[in-house]
Amino acid sequence: MSRAYGATGAVVAVGCLLLFAPGCSKSLEGTSGSKTTEQGLAKPAPVTLPGEERVADEIVVAKAEPSSEAAQTSKQRSQEMQMEQTATASAGLADVFFAFDSWQIKDDGKQALSTNGQWLKANAGKSLTIEGHCDERGTQAYNLVLGEKRAKAVRSYLADLGVDTKRLAVASYGKDRPFCREHSEDCYQQNRRGHLVLRVK
Amino acid sequence: MRMSPLSKIIGAVVVGLAGAGLTGSGLESDAADVYLEATRPDVQRIPIGVLGFQDGATAARPGKEAAEVLAADLRRSQMFTVADSSKLGLALTGSAGPDRQKLKQAVESGVKVLVWGTIGTRDPDYLLDRFIYDGGDDGGAGKRYVGPASVLRQMAHRVADELVARYTGEPGIARTRIAYVSEKKGARELFIMDYDGHSSKQITSDGFLNLTPQWSPDRKYLVFTSYQSRTRQNIEIADLATGKRSPLVSLSGLNITPAPSPDGTKLAFATSQDGNSEIYTMDMQTKALQRLTVHSAGDLSPSWAPTGKELAFTSDRGGGPQIYVMSADGSNVRRLTFDGDYNAAPAWSPKGNWIAYVCRSEQRQYKICLISPDGEKRAQITSGQSIDDSPSWSPDGRHLAFSSTAGGKTHVYMVNSDGKELEQLTFSGTHNSMPAWSSVEAPKVESQAAEKK
């Protein structure tokens, strides 16, 4: 509210300083009649006199509206994620873990994916999202790309097993949605994963 | 342009008041590197005294905060050493300004510039009158700033910027802002704070992931990556004045690390629509895309040279991530970093002479490094046990903001480009990262008009 006033006042005053327009003195007199305020009737408009400089918030910041697609509330989203988690667990889908800085699928990962592949063949109507995750080391930006490489490595391994890639969406969360938040190798190992999520819709 | 009084000041005895000490965290400045000489500001610091702002007639007593903001700004500017004003014998009393003779003596004894002022009210505004004495004939010349109480800190910042401009001819950075990513209920939301960490404001509230913010050169917009759904990420633009958001890049796959060109006509970014991450530019008018990199490895994090003619970027085409440079049309690709097996997140300095980036040290720590665009000079400017990330230059090229896990949690810090005067900027929450420093404001017509009067 006061910010809006300030901005208006600044515009008027700047115009006056620049132009020395005849109309300006009038508007200044008009706005400097602050007697009403002293009696508590109205808040006076801000005034900027010649020789003064008004300081305004240079970067006015409004809270951004949620993006349209993301307008589904976080509550709905977390419900959906909860359902997916339950479905994924009951299907017995196993995650794939990676070595540091690597997106190569290790032997234990191949084993897990072969089991996952069999399940997918037996449940032809089901689709997965493969999420790529990273540990906290390295940069946030590069880890987004590394996470995507991990997710795509999982997808391509499943495709080689004969799963239609149309059923396999990929996403990367880099290191920004960790499973574990400790600063330890044990925790890092859990975060370097291709996380399989069974979609519920 | 007015003559800078700098010539008068240069060569004066510099009082060795080093700036603020290091923070108590595990993060350490590294000032031992010989190469760092090259990053040091070439201007000798000017001793300055901030005598305070008399505010006896103002109920809220804003004088103390204004003086603290001003002194902190002047210290951060790297142009001044701020003298301990209590030792100058120039305490302000009553409504009269400081004694003229004592001002003269203080200047003669080495504190070259003295600044003080008064803060009064003219409902609904504060009136901040500032006075400067530097021994010149216009000694004690006053100037009045007006604004509502909500911009008190900005008014003090304005005085700091004025002093920096007066003695160096460069615009100050005290009214710049830093955008950053902060954790909110497990989500990553965008925030904007003053450059000194104050007045933080939340921008997005999606409840999911918003990452890699950057400012438009005119400071009116943020561009960033927003997870539209859990499998889809767009680059969006948010109009800060209205809060309106719109998609800019909605290609399939991961669309990340947007970077507006210095003139604002293009947006460089990385997209994985071709299968792996590649760098493109988009014309902001026509929305026409141009692919710059063609390589089966991951290319990301483009950062424009201030000329707009070249881009630095991260690529793992050599195995691990390294910094590369290419022309703005994608030609003349050359590898810039060869030290270590992990170098990423380049940020080209506004003066063009350095590229800051994240380097992995011999101790396997992720630190902030600088390299000259010809690759000949290199310096590591942070040290210690932490993961430092996302360096972003101040518009004067004298500071870097970055994130660090030094205190256990991830917070945004500021450090001089020579590795000195480390300062923590965020304190709340558990995760504050990806700082992006705004440009400095365009010179305003009205302030010039006021100066000339």
Side-chain angles (χ1 to χ4, degrees):
Chain A
M1 184 83 166
S2 62
R3 198 174 288 159
Y5 271 125
T8 317
V11 169
V12 170
V14 171
C16 291
L17 283 178
L18 289 180
L19 305 172
F20 296 101
C24 283
S25 57
K26 191 179 163 196
S27 71
L28 285 177
E29 282 163 21
T31 50
S32 60
S34 57
K35 277 176 191 156
T36 47
T37 337
E38 281 154 22
Q39 293 157 8
L41 292 178
K43 201 165 169 60
V47 179
T48 313
L49 300 173
E52 296 177 348
E53 181 182 325
R54 177 159 292 276
V55 177
D57 230 340
E58 306 247 314
I59 302 173
V60 178
V61 171
K63 194 162 180 169
E65 62 193 13
S67 61
S68 52
E69 278 179 71
Q72 65 160 324
T73 62
S74 48
K75 199 175 172 184
Q76 279 174 303
R77 180 167 40 224
S78 57
Q79 276 174 355
E80 192 180 298
M81 287 165 73
Q82 194 69 49
M83 286 163 66
E84 286 176 346
Q85 204 179 345
T86 313
T88 305
S90 63
L93 293 171
D95 286 354
V96 180
F97 296 90
F98 293 87
F100 179 53
D101 273 356
S102 166
W103 58 92
Q104 305 298 325
I105 292 172
K106 298 184 292 184
D107 286 345
D108 56 346
K110 289 176 183 172
Q111 222 158 38
L113 286 176
S114 135
T115 314
N116 293 338
Q118 281 164 18
W119 188 92
L120 283 164
K121 281 178 195 166
N123 295 272
K126 300 290 186 183
S127 295
L128 297 187
T129 300
I130 304 160
E131 299 178 353
H133 294 269
C134 304
D135 71 36
E136 67 166 0
R137 291 171 292 177
T139 68
Q140 274 174 288
Y142 182 68
N143 275 324
L144 287 170
V145 168
L146 180 59
E148 189 181 45
K149 289 185 186 217
R150 286 176 177 165
K152 285 184 171 173
V154 170
R155 182 177 66 178
S156 111
Y157 195 87
L158 287 172
D160 288 347
L161 294 177
V163 181
D164 185 352
T165 54
K166 287 195 185 94
R167 297 167 63 197
L168 305 171
V170 293
S172 174
Y173 294 135
K175 61 173 176 175
D176 284 294
R177 285 184 69 79
F179 291 77
C180 175
R181 288 164 179 270
E182 312 284 304
H183 308 295
S184 64
E185 174 51 36
D186 189 40
C187 184
Y188 294 161
Q189 171 60 56
Q190 292 180 56
N191 286 336
R192 293 192 301 265
R193 74 166 81 191
H195 178 48
L196 273 58
V197 177
L198 184 57
R199 288 211 292 269
V200 291
K201 57 174 192 182
Chain B
M1 287 287 283
R2 62 183 299 161
M3 272 269 289
S4 163
L6 183 63
S7 51
K8 187 168 65 186
I9 301 289
I10 287 268
V13 181
V14 174
V15 179
L17 297 176
L22 306 181
T23 57
S25 67
L27 195 61
E28 298 154 33
S29 278
D30 187 345
D33 199 312
V34 291
Y35 296 119
L36 288 175
E37 289 297 338
T39 73
R40 254 172 217 146
D42 49 3
V43 180
Q44 277 194 302
R45 296 190 181 202
I46 302 163
I48 190 168
V50 178
L51 306 181
F53 290 91
Q54 289 171 311
D55 59 3
T58 311
R61 305 303 298 262
K64 187 164 177 283
E65 185 178 11
E68 285 168 359
V69 169
L70 175 58
D73 286 345
L74 294 173
R75 194 170 53 237
R76 283 191 205 98
S77 76
Q78 305 177 38
M79 309 289 183
F80 298 96
T81 51
V82 181
D84 183 349
S85 60
S86 67
K87 293 189 180 150
L88 295 175
L90 277 162
L92 301 176
T93 49
S95 58
D99 178 77
R100 186 65 173 220
Q101 201 55 37
K102 285 187 178 166
L103 285 174
K104 199 157 179 273
Q105 285 166 5
V107 167
E108 283 166 2
S109 73
V111 183
K112 293 295 171 185
V113 183
L114 295 159
V115 56
W116 69 97
T118 61
I119 300 177
T121 54
R122 183 177 67 205
D123 205 20
D125 287 324
Y126 277 151
L127 306 175
L128 187 156
D129 288 298
R130 71 97 190 98
F131 302 94
I132 299 167
Y133 181 76
D134 59 11
D137 294 336
D138 63 342
K143 179 165 166 63
R144 172 170 286 184
Y145 294 104
V146 301
S150 60
V151 301
L152 174 73
R153 296 184 67 92
Q154 296 296 320
M155 292 167 83
H157 289 321
R158 177 68 186 91
V159 176
D161 282 349
E162 182 197 357
L163 286 162
V164 168
R166 178 184 173 109
Y167 292 105
T168 70
E170 287 181 31
I173 59 161
R175 284 177 301 157
T176 57
R177 303 285 164 98
I178 296 173
Y180 64 103
V181 172
S182 186
E183 178 153 14
K184 205 83 179 163
K185 295 175 189 163
R188 300 271 196 258
E189 305 287 4
L190 303 186
F191 284 69
I192 290 176
M193 62 185 172
D194 291 354
Y195 93 118
D196 58 5
H198 278 264
S199 311
S200 166
K201 294 187 185 84
Q202 187 170 352
I203 305 301
T204 63
S205 50
D206 291 2
F208 211 55
L209 296 186
N210 295 285
L211 299 169
T212 65
Q214 290 291 334
W215 292 84
S216 65
D218 64 7
R219 316 200 302 183
K220 290 179 179 164
Y221 304 91
L222 286 185
V223 291
F224 56 101
T225 289
S226 179
Y227 281 57
Q228 293 297 300
S229 67
R230 280 171 293 145
T231 55
R232 189 167 179 78
Q233 308 83 33
N234 285 352
I235 291 169
E236 289 194 31
I237 184 164
D239 183 333
L240 294 174
T242 64
K244 179 117 185 95
R245 284 170 62 167
S246 11
L248 271 182
V249 180
S250 334
L251 303 171
S252 65
L254 198 60
N255 300 295
I256 57 168
T257 58
S261 62
D263 64 5
T265 60
K266 284 182 180 175
L267 183 79
F269 62 95
T271 177
S272 64
Q273 70 157 352
D274 305 298
N276 61 295
S277 188
E278 301 281 4
I279 294 170
Y280 280 69
T281 54
M282 184 180 76
D283 187 300
M284 293 295 280
Q285 283 287 323
T286 65
K287 308 290 179 205
L289 295 177
Q290 185 184 0
R291 181 170 171 176
L292 301 193
T293 58
V294 183
H295 200 286
S296 56
D299 300 315
L300 68 152
S301 298
S303 174
W304 294 87
T307 58
K309 290 179 179 164
E310 285 179 296
L311 292 146
F313 63 102
T314 305
S315 177
D316 59 9
R317 59 187 64 186
Q322 295 289 344
I323 310 299
Y324 290 73
V325 172
M326 63 182 162
S327 299
D329 63 0
S331 64
N332 300 316
V333 178
R334 63 185 166 91
R335 180 169 162 179
L336 182 59
T337 53
F338 291 90
D339 289 286
D341 55 3
Y342 191 111
N343 296 295
W348 211 311
S349 79
K351 288 180 179 164
N353 53 341
W354 291 106
I355 293 167
Y357 61 101
V358 174
C359 54
R360 185 158 65 196
S361 69
E362 284 172 23
Q363 296 78 32
R364 311 296 282 176
Q365 299 295 317
Y366 296 83
K367 299 290 110 189
I368 306 301
C369 276
L370 303 182
I371 191 167
S372 58
D374 60 10
E376 293 199 353
K377 285 179 291 184
R378 184 179 169 276
Q380 181 184 322
I381 63 166
T382 63
S383 59
Q385 298 267 324
S386 60
I387 299 163
D388 302 343
D389 195 1
S390 306
S392 176
W393 290 92
S394 63
D396 64 3
R398 294 176 190 276
H399 308 76
L400 286 155
F402 63 101
S403 69
S404 177
T405 60
K409 296 167 178 173
T410 306
H411 281 296
V412 176
Y413 293 77
M414 173 197 301
V415 69
N416 290 357
S417 60
D418 62 2
K420 289 188 171 174
E421 297 185 34
L422 185 67
E423 182 177 356
Q424 186 172 346
L425 297 182
T426 61
F427 292 90
S428 64
T430 58
H431 176 98
N432 297 286
S433 66
M434 292 187 154
W437 212 312
S438 79
S439 63
V440 84
E441 57 156 351
K444 285 204 302 185
V445 183
E446 78 210 34
S447 58
Q448 285 174 0
E451 286 278 346
K452 276 179 194 154
K453 100 189 135 67

